[in-house]
Every structure is written in structure tokens, then in C-alpha cells.
Amino acid sequence: MNQLLWLLRAKRWVQNPPSAARVKLVLGVVAACLAVVVLERIFGWPDWLAVDSLCRNP
């Protein structure tokens, strides 16, 4: 995207900032995604969710 369009979008965002509820919602979704990634790293990926598990048990 053109840099001028990014500046215009930033200007509109500064003039009409998102509400606190929307910011909390976005931050909550990001935190939930990070929690899922951390749990997957700690406990690993379950076998029943892996694609190749279907090929091993015909």
C-alpha cells in the first residue's frame, strides 16, 4: 500500500480513535492466541489433531 494512504489512515485513526471496549477486545483476542501458542509449546500437539494420524491408522 502507498505510504500516503497509510498516513491518511493514521490521521483518520487519530481523529476517531477506537473505543476502550474495542481495544480490550483486540488485546483479549491477541492474549488468547498467545496463550494457545504457549500451551501448544509446553504440552505439544495432540495426536488426534495431526493430519498424519489418519494415515497411520487406516
Side-chain angles (χ1 to χ4, degrees):
M1 203 178 227
N2 193 357
Q3 286 83 10
L4 184 59
L5 292 177
W6 280 105
L7 288 175
L8 289 174
R9 183 178 288 185
K11 176 184 171 252
R12 277 186 261 139
W13 193 43
V14 168
Q15 288 176 343
N16 301 317
S19 65
R22 180 164 294 206
V23 171
K24 288 180 184 178
L25 175 68
V26 169
L27 290 177
V29 169
V30 170
C33 292
L34 288 175
V36 168
V37 169
V38 167
L39 288 174
E40 189 272 328
R41 293 287 182 181
I42 291 173
F43 296 112
W45 197 254
D47 286 337
W48 59 268
L49 199 54
V51 176
D52 60 339
S53 68
L54 296 176
C55 296
R56 281 187 267 148
N57 297 325

PDB file of all heavy atoms in Angstrom, residues 3-41:
ATOM      1  N   GLN A   3       2.459   4.790   0.922  1.00  0.00           N
ATOM      2  CA  GLN A   3       2.719   5.396   2.225  1.00  0.00           C
ATOM      3  C   GLN A   3       1.748   6.534   2.509  1.00  0.00           C
ATOM      4  O   GLN A   3       1.366   6.761   3.657  1.00  0.00           O
ATOM      5  CB  GLN A   3       4.157   5.923   2.297  1.00  0.00           C
ATOM      6  CG  GLN A   3       5.208   4.859   2.445  1.00  0.00           C
ATOM      7  CD  GLN A   3       5.600   4.233   1.119  1.00  0.00           C
ATOM      8  OE1 GLN A   3       5.223   4.709   0.058  1.00  0.00           O
ATOM      9  NE2 GLN A   3       6.357   3.159   1.175  1.00  0.00           N
ATOM     10  N   LEU A   4       1.322   7.247   1.474  1.00  0.00           N
ATOM     11  CA  LEU A   4       0.367   8.331   1.674  1.00  0.00           C
ATOM     12  C   LEU A   4      -0.970   7.794   2.185  1.00  0.00           C
ATOM     13  O   LEU A   4      -1.598   8.387   3.063  1.00  0.00           O
ATOM     14  CB  LEU A   4       0.163   9.105   0.373  1.00  0.00           C
ATOM     15  CG  LEU A   4      -0.742  10.320   0.441  1.00  0.00           C
ATOM     16  CD1 LEU A   4      -0.197  11.316   1.453  1.00  0.00           C
ATOM     17  CD2 LEU A   4      -0.884  10.958  -0.919  1.00  0.00           C
ATOM     18  N   LEU A   5      -1.388   6.643   1.674  1.00  0.00           N
ATOM     19  CA  LEU A   5      -2.627   6.048   2.161  1.00  0.00           C
ATOM     20  C   LEU A   5      -2.504   5.618   3.619  1.00  0.00           C
ATOM     21  O   LEU A   5      -3.451   5.741   4.398  1.00  0.00           O
ATOM     22  CB  LEU A   5      -3.018   4.862   1.284  1.00  0.00           C
ATOM     23  CG  LEU A   5      -3.434   5.209  -0.153  1.00  0.00           C
ATOM     24  CD1 LEU A   5      -3.719   3.942  -0.938  1.00  0.00           C
ATOM     25  CD2 LEU A   5      -4.624   6.126  -0.154  1.00  0.00           C
ATOM     26  N   TRP A   6      -1.321   5.113   3.990  1.00  0.00           N
ATOM     27  CA  TRP A   6      -1.109   4.751   5.392  1.00  0.00           C
ATOM     28  C   TRP A   6      -1.180   5.982   6.286  1.00  0.00           C
ATOM     29  O   TRP A   6      -1.731   5.942   7.388  1.00  0.00           O
ATOM     30  CB  TRP A   6       0.228   4.049   5.578  1.00  0.00           C
ATOM     31  CG  TRP A   6       0.197   2.615   5.190  1.00  0.00           C
ATOM     32  CD1 TRP A   6       0.726   2.065   4.066  1.00  0.00           C
ATOM     33  CD2 TRP A   6      -0.416   1.541   5.909  1.00  0.00           C
ATOM     34  NE1 TRP A   6       0.485   0.714   4.050  1.00  0.00           N
ATOM     35  CE2 TRP A   6      -0.208   0.364   5.163  1.00  0.00           C
ATOM     36  CE3 TRP A   6      -1.104   1.468   7.105  1.00  0.00           C
ATOM     37  CZ2 TRP A   6      -0.683  -0.864   5.589  1.00  0.00           C
ATOM     38  CZ3 TRP A   6      -1.575   0.243   7.529  1.00  0.00           C
ATOM     39  CH2 TRP A   6      -1.351  -0.909   6.763  1.00  0.00           C
ATOM     40  N   LEU A   7      -0.608   7.108   5.812  1.00  0.00           N
ATOM     41  CA  LEU A   7      -0.669   8.337   6.607  1.00  0.00           C
ATOM     42  C   LEU A   7      -2.099   8.846   6.729  1.00  0.00           C
ATOM     43  O   LEU A   7      -2.508   9.317   7.794  1.00  0.00           O
ATOM     44  CB  LEU A   7       0.231   9.404   5.972  1.00  0.00           C
ATOM     45  CG  LEU A   7       1.733   9.171   6.114  1.00  0.00           C
ATOM     46  CD1 LEU A   7       2.503  10.218   5.336  1.00  0.00           C
ATOM     47  CD2 LEU A   7       2.139   9.180   7.575  1.00  0.00           C
ATOM     48  N   LEU A   8      -2.883   8.747   5.666  1.00  0.00           N
ATOM     49  CA  LEU A   8      -4.280   9.165   5.727  1.00  0.00           C
ATOM     50  C   LEU A   8      -5.079   8.269   6.680  1.00  0.00           C
ATOM     51  O   LEU A   8      -5.926   8.744   7.439  1.00  0.00           O
ATOM     52  CB  LEU A   8      -4.898   9.152   4.330  1.00  0.00           C
ATOM     53  CG  LEU A   8      -4.419  10.250   3.384  1.00  0.00           C
ATOM     54  CD1 LEU A   8      -4.990  10.035   1.992  1.00  0.00           C
ATOM     55  CD2 LEU A   8      -4.801  11.609   3.922  1.00  0.00           C
ATOM     56  N   ARG A   9      -4.795   6.983   6.644  1.00  0.00           N
ATOM     57  CA  ARG A   9      -5.474   6.066   7.559  1.00  0.00           C
ATOM     58  C   ARG A   9      -5.094   6.369   9.006  1.00  0.00           C
ATOM     59  O   ARG A   9      -5.947   6.355   9.901  1.00  0.00           O
ATOM     60  CB  ARG A   9      -5.109   4.622   7.212  1.00  0.00           C
ATOM     61  CG  ARG A   9      -5.815   3.611   8.064  1.00  0.00           C
ATOM     62  CD  ARG A   9      -5.466   2.224   7.669  1.00  0.00           C
ATOM     63  NE  ARG A   9      -6.099   1.930   6.396  1.00  0.00           N
ATOM     64  CZ  ARG A   9      -6.058   0.740   5.804  1.00  0.00           C
ATOM     65  NH1 ARG A   9      -5.400  -0.247   6.378  1.00  0.00           N
ATOM     66  NH2 ARG A   9      -6.658   0.535   4.669  1.00  0.00           N
ATOM     67  N   ALA A  10      -3.824   6.663   9.254  1.00  0.00           N
ATOM     68  CA  ALA A  10      -3.382   7.014  10.609  1.00  0.00           C
ATOM     69  C   ALA A  10      -4.039   8.308  11.067  1.00  0.00           C
ATOM     70  O   ALA A  10      -4.426   8.439  12.234  1.00  0.00           O
ATOM     71  CB  ALA A  10      -1.861   7.136  10.644  1.00  0.00           C
ATOM     72  N   LYS A  11      -4.174   9.266  10.168  1.00  0.00           N
ATOM     73  CA  LYS A  11      -4.827  10.534  10.506  1.00  0.00           C
ATOM     74  C   LYS A  11      -6.280  10.301  10.900  1.00  0.00           C
ATOM     75  O   LYS A  11      -6.760  10.848  11.893  1.00  0.00           O
ATOM     76  CB  LYS A  11      -4.754  11.480   9.309  1.00  0.00           C
ATOM     77  CG  LYS A  11      -5.471  12.785   9.517  1.00  0.00           C
ATOM     78  CD  LYS A  11      -5.444  13.626   8.248  1.00  0.00           C
ATOM     79  CE  LYS A  11      -6.346  14.814   8.414  1.00  0.00           C
ATOM     80  NZ  LYS A  11      -7.560  14.718   7.642  1.00  0.00           N
ATOM     81  N   ARG A  12      -6.984   9.468  10.142  1.00  0.00           N
ATOM     82  CA  ARG A  12      -8.373   9.154  10.476  1.00  0.00           C
ATOM     83  C   ARG A  12      -8.470   8.424  11.808  1.00  0.00           C
ATOM     84  O   ARG A  12      -9.402   8.635  12.577  1.00  0.00           O
ATOM     85  CB  ARG A  12      -9.015   8.312   9.373  1.00  0.00           C
ATOM     86  CG  ARG A  12      -9.522   9.156   8.228  1.00  0.00           C
ATOM     87  CD  ARG A  12     -10.278   8.314   7.236  1.00  0.00           C
ATOM     88  NE  ARG A  12      -9.352   8.031   6.141  1.00  0.00           N
ATOM     89  CZ  ARG A  12      -9.233   6.879   5.529  1.00  0.00           C
ATOM     90  NH1 ARG A  12      -9.972   5.857   5.871  1.00  0.00           N
ATOM     91  NH2 ARG A  12      -8.365   6.721   4.556  1.00  0.00           N
ATOM     92  N   TRP A  13      -7.480   7.559  12.084  1.00  0.00           N
ATOM     93  CA  TRP A  13      -7.495   6.792  13.328  1.00  0.00           C
ATOM     94  C   TRP A  13      -7.255   7.707  14.527  1.00  0.00           C
ATOM     95  O   TRP A  13      -7.839   7.535  15.589  1.00  0.00           O
ATOM     96  CB  TRP A  13      -6.438   5.697  13.253  1.00  0.00           C
ATOM     97  CG  TRP A  13      -6.554   4.654  14.308  1.00  0.00           C
ATOM     98  CD1 TRP A  13      -7.695   4.065  14.742  1.00  0.00           C
ATOM     99  CD2 TRP A  13      -5.492   4.083  15.063  1.00  0.00           C
ATOM    100  NE1 TRP A  13      -7.409   3.147  15.717  1.00  0.00           N
ATOM    101  CE2 TRP A  13      -6.058   3.135  15.934  1.00  0.00           C
ATOM    102  CE3 TRP A  13      -4.126   4.275  15.073  1.00  0.00           C
ATOM    103  CZ2 TRP A  13      -5.301   2.389  16.810  1.00  0.00           C
ATOM    104  CZ3 TRP A  13      -3.366   3.519  15.949  1.00  0.00           C
ATOM    105  CH2 TRP A  13      -3.946   2.601  16.808  1.00  0.00           C
ATOM    106  N   VAL A  14      -6.402   8.722  14.352  1.00  0.00           N
ATOM    107  CA  VAL A  14      -6.145   9.673  15.435  1.00  0.00           C
ATOM    108  C   VAL A  14      -7.375  10.544  15.662  1.00  0.00           C
ATOM    109  O   VAL A  14      -7.722  10.854  16.808  1.00  0.00           O
ATOM    110  CB  VAL A  14      -4.904  10.538  15.110  1.00  0.00           C
ATOM    111  CG1 VAL A  14      -4.789  11.706  16.042  1.00  0.00           C
ATOM    112  CG2 VAL A  14      -3.649   9.689  15.169  1.00  0.00           C
ATOM    113  N   GLN A  15      -8.062  10.921  14.595  1.00  0.00           N
ATOM    114  CA  GLN A  15      -9.251  11.754  14.738  1.00  0.00           C
ATOM    115  C   GLN A  15     -10.415  10.979  15.362  1.00  0.00           C
ATOM    116  O   GLN A  15     -11.201  11.535  16.111  1.00  0.00           O
ATOM    117  CB  GLN A  15      -9.682  12.310  13.384  1.00  0.00           C
ATOM    118  CG  GLN A  15      -8.756  13.380  12.862  1.00  0.00           C
ATOM    119  CD  GLN A  15      -9.153  13.853  11.468  1.00  0.00           C
ATOM    120  OE1 GLN A  15      -9.904  13.177  10.778  1.00  0.00           O
ATOM    121  NE2 GLN A  15      -8.626  15.000  11.083  1.00  0.00           N
ATOM    122  N   ASN A  16     -10.542   9.704  15.028  1.00  0.00           N
ATOM    123  CA  ASN A  16     -11.616   8.857  15.548  1.00  0.00           C
ATOM    124  C   ASN A  16     -11.020   7.591  16.153  1.00  0.00           C
ATOM    125  O   ASN A  16     -11.072   6.526  15.544  1.00  0.00           O
ATOM    126  CB  ASN A  16     -12.589   8.477  14.423  1.00  0.00           C
ATOM    127  CG  ASN A  16     -13.208   9.686  13.786  1.00  0.00           C
ATOM    128  OD1 ASN A  16     -13.594  10.612  14.466  1.00  0.00           O
ATOM    129  ND2 ASN A  16     -13.290   9.677  12.474  1.00  0.00           N
ATOM    130  N   PRO A  17     -10.438   7.694  17.346  1.00  0.00           N
ATOM    131  CA  PRO A  17      -9.799   6.506  17.933  1.00  0.00           C
ATOM    132  C   PRO A  17     -10.829   5.449  18.297  1.00  0.00           C
ATOM    133  O   PRO A  17     -12.000   5.755  18.529  1.00  0.00           O
ATOM    134  CB  PRO A  17      -9.109   7.057  19.175  1.00  0.00           C
ATOM    135  CG  PRO A  17      -9.839   8.286  19.517  1.00  0.00           C
ATOM    136  CD  PRO A  17     -10.365   8.848  18.235  1.00  0.00           C
ATOM    137  N   PRO A  18     -10.402   4.182  18.334  1.00  0.00           N
ATOM    138  CA  PRO A  18     -11.333   3.118  18.717  1.00  0.00           C
ATOM    139  C   PRO A  18     -11.705   3.255  20.194  1.00  0.00           C
ATOM    140  O   PRO A  18     -10.962   3.815  20.997  1.00  0.00           O
ATOM    141  CB  PRO A  18     -10.538   1.840  18.459  1.00  0.00           C
ATOM    142  CG  PRO A  18      -9.116   2.258  18.486  1.00  0.00           C
ATOM    143  CD  PRO A  18      -9.077   3.664  18.013  1.00  0.00           C
ATOM    144  N   SER A  19     -12.860   2.706  20.528  1.00  0.00           N
ATOM    145  CA  SER A  19     -13.312   2.780  21.920  1.00  0.00           C
ATOM    146  C   SER A  19     -12.458   1.867  22.796  1.00  0.00           C
ATOM    147  O   SER A  19     -11.774   0.959  22.315  1.00  0.00           O
ATOM    148  CB  SER A  19     -14.781   2.366  22.016  1.00  0.00           C
ATOM    149  OG  SER A  19     -14.912   1.005  21.654  1.00  0.00           O
ATOM    150  N   ALA A  20     -12.535   2.104  24.084  1.00  0.00           N
ATOM    151  CA  ALA A  20     -11.772   1.287  25.037  1.00  0.00           C
ATOM    152  C   ALA A  20     -12.239  -0.157  24.993  1.00  0.00           C
ATOM    153  O   ALA A  20     -11.430  -1.092  25.145  1.00  0.00           O
ATOM    154  CB  ALA A  20     -11.902   1.857  26.434  1.00  0.00           C
ATOM    155  N   ALA A  21     -13.532  -0.371  24.763  1.00  0.00           N
ATOM    156  CA  ALA A  21     -14.056  -1.739  24.702  1.00  0.00           C
ATOM    157  C   ALA A  21     -13.471  -2.490  23.509  1.00  0.00           C
ATOM    158  O   ALA A  21     -13.127  -3.670  23.619  1.00  0.00           O
ATOM    159  CB  ALA A  21     -15.580  -1.710  24.604  1.00  0.00           C
ATOM    160  N   ARG A  22     -13.332  -1.814  22.375  1.00  0.00           N
ATOM    161  CA  ARG A  22     -12.765  -2.469  21.195  1.00  0.00           C
ATOM    162  C   ARG A  22     -11.281  -2.778  21.397  1.00  0.00           C
ATOM    163  O   ARG A  22     -10.799  -3.835  20.994  1.00  0.00           O
ATOM    164  CB  ARG A  22     -12.952  -1.606  19.960  1.00  0.00           C
ATOM    165  CG  ARG A  22     -12.373  -2.272  18.718  1.00  0.00           C
ATOM    166  CD  ARG A  22     -12.854  -1.646  17.483  1.00  0.00           C
ATOM    167  NE  ARG A  22     -14.278  -1.879  17.378  1.00  0.00           N
ATOM    168  CZ  ARG A  22     -14.939  -1.910  16.240  1.00  0.00           C
ATOM    169  NH1 ARG A  22     -14.317  -1.702  15.135  1.00  0.00           N
ATOM    170  NH2 ARG A  22     -16.227  -2.125  16.221  1.00  0.00           N
ATOM    171  N   VAL A  23     -10.566  -1.868  22.036  1.00  0.00           N
ATOM    172  CA  VAL A  23      -9.142  -2.106  22.313  1.00  0.00           C
ATOM    173  C   VAL A  23      -8.987  -3.291  23.247  1.00  0.00           C
ATOM    174  O   VAL A  23      -8.132  -4.156  23.037  1.00  0.00           O
ATOM    175  CB  VAL A  23      -8.487  -0.833  22.897  1.00  0.00           C
ATOM    176  CG1 VAL A  23      -7.080  -1.122  23.381  1.00  0.00           C
ATOM    177  CG2 VAL A  23      -8.479   0.282  21.868  1.00  0.00           C
ATOM    178  N   LYS A  24      -9.836  -3.376  24.271  1.00  0.00           N
ATOM    179  CA  LYS A  24      -9.785  -4.509  25.205  1.00  0.00           C
ATOM    180  C   LYS A  24     -10.115  -5.815  24.501  1.00  0.00           C
ATOM    181  O   LYS A  24      -9.507  -6.850  24.782  1.00  0.00           O
ATOM    182  CB  LYS A  24     -10.747  -4.288  26.371  1.00  0.00           C
ATOM    183  CG  LYS A  24     -10.283  -3.228  27.339  1.00  0.00           C
ATOM    184  CD  LYS A  24     -11.278  -3.044  28.464  1.00  0.00           C
ATOM    185  CE  LYS A  24     -10.868  -1.923  29.382  1.00  0.00           C
ATOM    186  NZ  LYS A  24     -11.844  -1.698  30.448  1.00  0.00           N
ATOM    187  N   LEU A  25     -11.072  -5.765  23.579  1.00  0.00           N
ATOM    188  CA  LEU A  25     -11.438  -6.963  22.823  1.00  0.00           C
ATOM    189  C   LEU A  25     -10.268  -7.448  21.974  1.00  0.00           C
ATOM    190  O   LEU A  25      -9.930  -8.641  21.979  1.00  0.00           O
ATOM    191  CB  LEU A  25     -12.656  -6.683  21.943  1.00  0.00           C
ATOM    192  CG  LEU A  25     -13.084  -7.819  21.015  1.00  0.00           C
ATOM    193  CD1 LEU A  25     -13.629  -8.978  21.842  1.00  0.00           C
ATOM    194  CD2 LEU A  25     -14.095  -7.325  20.020  1.00  0.00           C
ATOM    195  N   VAL A  26      -9.626  -6.545  21.278  1.00  0.00           N
ATOM    196  CA  VAL A  26      -8.493  -6.920  20.423  1.00  0.00           C
ATOM    197  C   VAL A  26      -7.343  -7.455  21.269  1.00  0.00           C
ATOM    198  O   VAL A  26      -6.733  -8.474  20.924  1.00  0.00           O
ATOM    199  CB  VAL A  26      -8.044  -5.722  19.555  1.00  0.00           C
ATOM    200  CG1 VAL A  26      -6.731  -5.998  18.869  1.00  0.00           C
ATOM    201  CG2 VAL A  26      -9.125  -5.370  18.545  1.00  0.00           C
ATOM    202  N   LEU A  27      -7.056  -6.789  22.369  1.00  0.00           N
ATOM    203  CA  LEU A  27      -5.979  -7.269  23.241  1.00  0.00           C
ATOM    204  C   LEU A  27      -6.323  -8.623  23.862  1.00  0.00           C
ATOM    205  O   LEU A  27      -5.441  -9.471  24.044  1.00  0.00           O
ATOM    206  CB  LEU A  27      -5.685  -6.250  24.338  1.00  0.00           C
ATOM    207  CG  LEU A  27      -5.027  -4.949  23.861  1.00  0.00           C
ATOM    208  CD1 LEU A  27      -4.851  -3.993  25.038  1.00  0.00           C
ATOM    209  CD2 LEU A  27      -3.704  -5.215  23.181  1.00  0.00           C
ATOM    210  N   GLY A  28      -7.593  -8.850  24.160  1.00  0.00           N
ATOM    211  CA  GLY A  28      -8.022 -10.147  24.692  1.00  0.00           C
ATOM    212  C   GLY A  28      -7.847 -11.257  23.677  1.00  0.00           C
ATOM    213  O   GLY A  28      -7.406 -12.365  24.017  1.00  0.00           O
ATOM    214  N   VAL A  29      -8.181 -10.978  22.418  1.00  0.00           N
ATOM    215  CA  VAL A  29      -8.012 -11.981  21.361  1.00  0.00           C
ATOM    216  C   VAL A  29      -6.536 -12.290  21.148  1.00  0.00           C
ATOM    217  O   VAL A  29      -6.148 -13.460  21.010  1.00  0.00           O
ATOM    218  CB  VAL A  29      -8.678 -11.499  20.055  1.00  0.00           C
ATOM    219  CG1 VAL A  29      -8.292 -12.364  18.884  1.00  0.00           C
ATOM    220  CG2 VAL A  29     -10.186 -11.464  20.214  1.00  0.00           C
ATOM    221  N   VAL A  30      -5.700 -11.263  21.147  1.00  0.00           N
ATOM    222  CA  VAL A  30      -4.255 -11.480  20.993  1.00  0.00           C
ATOM    223  C   VAL A  30      -3.704 -12.286  22.166  1.00  0.00           C
ATOM    224  O   VAL A  30      -2.902 -13.214  21.977  1.00  0.00           O
ATOM    225  CB  VAL A  30      -3.519 -10.125  20.841  1.00  0.00           C
ATOM    226  CG1 VAL A  30      -2.014 -10.299  20.926  1.00  0.00           C
ATOM    227  CG2 VAL A  30      -3.902  -9.470  19.528  1.00  0.00           C
ATOM    228  N   ALA A  31      -4.149 -11.974  23.388  1.00  0.00           N
ATOM    229  CA  ALA A  31      -3.687 -12.712  24.572  1.00  0.00           C
ATOM    230  C   ALA A  31      -4.140 -14.170  24.519  1.00  0.00           C
ATOM    231  O   ALA A  31      -3.375 -15.074  24.877  1.00  0.00           O
ATOM    232  CB  ALA A  31      -4.203 -12.047  25.842  1.00  0.00           C
ATOM    233  N   ALA A  32      -5.362 -14.418  24.051  1.00  0.00           N
ATOM    234  CA  ALA A  32      -5.852 -15.798  23.938  1.00  0.00           C
ATOM    235  C   ALA A  32      -5.038 -16.579  22.912  1.00  0.00           C
ATOM    236  O   ALA A  32      -4.701 -17.749  23.140  1.00  0.00           O
ATOM    237  CB  ALA A  32      -7.328 -15.797  23.560  1.00  0.00           C
ATOM    238  N   CYS A  33      -4.710 -15.951  21.792  1.00  0.00           N
ATOM    239  CA  CYS A  33      -3.897 -16.621  20.770  1.00  0.00           C
ATOM    240  C   CYS A  33      -2.505 -16.937  21.307  1.00  0.00           C
ATOM    241  O   CYS A  33      -1.981 -18.033  21.068  1.00  0.00           O
ATOM    242  CB  CYS A  33      -3.799 -15.755  19.527  1.00  0.00           C
ATOM    243  SG  CYS A  33      -5.354 -15.580  18.632  1.00  0.00           S
ATOM    244  N   LEU A  34      -1.915 -16.004  22.016  1.00  0.00           N
ATOM    245  CA  LEU A  34      -0.594 -16.257  22.596  1.00  0.00           C
ATOM    246  C   LEU A  34      -0.658 -17.366  23.641  1.00  0.00           C
ATOM    247  O   LEU A  34       0.265 -18.183  23.735  1.00  0.00           O
ATOM    248  CB  LEU A  34      -0.040 -14.975  23.213  1.00  0.00           C
ATOM    249  CG  LEU A  34       0.418 -13.909  22.226  1.00  0.00           C
ATOM    250  CD1 LEU A  34       0.832 -12.648  22.976  1.00  0.00           C
ATOM    251  CD2 LEU A  34       1.551 -14.410  21.359  1.00  0.00           C
ATOM    252  N   ALA A  35      -1.742 -17.425  24.419  1.00  0.00           N
ATOM    253  CA  ALA A  35      -1.888 -18.491  25.413  1.00  0.00           C
ATOM    254  C   ALA A  35      -1.992 -19.849  24.733  1.00  0.00           C
ATOM    255  O   ALA A  35      -1.393 -20.831  25.206  1.00  0.00           O
ATOM    256  CB  ALA A  35      -3.127 -18.231  26.272  1.00  0.00           C
ATOM    257  N   VAL A  36      -2.711 -19.932  23.621  1.00  0.00           N
ATOM    258  CA  VAL A  36      -2.818 -21.194  22.888  1.00  0.00           C
ATOM    259  C   VAL A  36      -1.458 -21.622  22.351  1.00  0.00           C
ATOM    260  O   VAL A  36      -1.085 -22.804  22.422  1.00  0.00           O
ATOM    261  CB  VAL A  36      -3.861 -21.072  21.754  1.00  0.00           C
ATOM    262  CG1 VAL A  36      -3.787 -22.251  20.807  1.00  0.00           C
ATOM    263  CG2 VAL A  36      -5.246 -20.941  22.335  1.00  0.00           C
ATOM    264  N   VAL A  37      -0.691 -20.673  21.830  1.00  0.00           N
ATOM    265  CA  VAL A  37       0.641 -20.992  21.311  1.00  0.00           C
ATOM    266  C   VAL A  37       1.548 -21.477  22.432  1.00  0.00           C
ATOM    267  O   VAL A  37       2.280 -22.466  22.270  1.00  0.00           O
ATOM    268  CB  VAL A  37       1.252 -19.768  20.591  1.00  0.00           C
ATOM    269  CG1 VAL A  37       2.720 -19.973  20.288  1.00  0.00           C
ATOM    270  CG2 VAL A  37       0.487 -19.468  19.318  1.00  0.00           C
ATOM    271  N   VAL A  38       1.497 -20.822  23.585  1.00  0.00           N
ATOM    272  CA  VAL A  38       2.342 -21.225  24.714  1.00  0.00           C
ATOM    273  C   VAL A  38       1.934 -22.617  25.205  1.00  0.00           C
ATOM    274  O   VAL A  38       2.808 -23.469  25.462  1.00  0.00           O
ATOM    275  CB  VAL A  38       2.258 -20.182  25.848  1.00  0.00           C
ATOM    276  CG1 VAL A  38       2.856 -20.719  27.134  1.00  0.00           C
ATOM    277  CG2 VAL A  38       2.951 -18.903  25.431  1.00  0.00           C
ATOM    278  N   LEU A  39       0.649 -22.873  25.321  1.00  0.00           N
ATOM    279  CA  LEU A  39       0.206 -24.200  25.747  1.00  0.00           C
ATOM    280  C   LEU A  39       0.606 -25.274  24.748  1.00  0.00           C
ATOM    281  O   LEU A  39       0.975 -26.392  25.142  1.00  0.00           O
ATOM    282  CB  LEU A  39      -1.307 -24.203  25.947  1.00  0.00           C
ATOM    283  CG  LEU A  39      -1.810 -23.457  27.175  1.00  0.00           C
ATOM    284  CD1 LEU A  39      -3.333 -23.404  27.180  1.00  0.00           C
ATOM    285  CD2 LEU A  39      -1.293 -24.109  28.436  1.00  0.00           C
ATOM    286  N   GLU A  40       0.554 -24.956  23.467  1.00  0.00           N
ATOM    287  CA  GLU A  40       0.974 -25.930  22.454  1.00  0.00           C
ATOM    288  C   GLU A  40       2.466 -26.207  22.566  1.00  0.00           C
ATOM    289  O   GLU A  40       2.910 -27.333  22.408  1.00  0.00           O
ATOM    290  CB  GLU A  40       0.617 -25.404  21.055  1.00  0.00           C
ATOM    291  CG  GLU A  40       0.808 -26.415  19.962  1.00  0.00           C
ATOM    292  CD  GLU A  40       2.213 -26.421  19.386  1.00  0.00           C
ATOM    293  OE1 GLU A  40       2.846 -25.362  19.348  1.00  0.00           O
ATOM    294  OE2 GLU A  40       2.673 -27.511  18.985  1.00  0.00           O
ATOM    295  N   ARG A  41       3.251 -25.176  22.852  1.00  0.00           N
ATOM    296  CA  ARG A  41       4.701 -25.376  23.006  1.00  0.00           C
ATOM    297  C   ARG A  41       5.024 -26.198  24.250  1.00  0.00           C
ATOM    298  O   ARG A  41       5.949 -27.004  24.250  1.00  0.00           O
ATOM    299  CB  ARG A  41       5.419 -24.027  23.096  1.00  0.00           C
ATOM    300  CG  ARG A  41       5.370 -23.218  21.848  1.00  0.00           C
ATOM    301  CD  ARG A  41       6.258 -23.813  20.819  1.00  0.00           C
ATOM    302  NE  ARG A  41       6.212 -22.973  19.623  1.00  0.00           N
ATOM    303  CZ  ARG A  41       6.869 -23.236  18.532  1.00  0.00           C
ATOM    304  NH1 ARG A  41       7.635 -24.299  18.462  1.00  0.00           N
ATOM    305  NH2 ARG A  41       6.759 -22.448  17.496  1.00  0.00           N
TER     306      ARG A  41
END
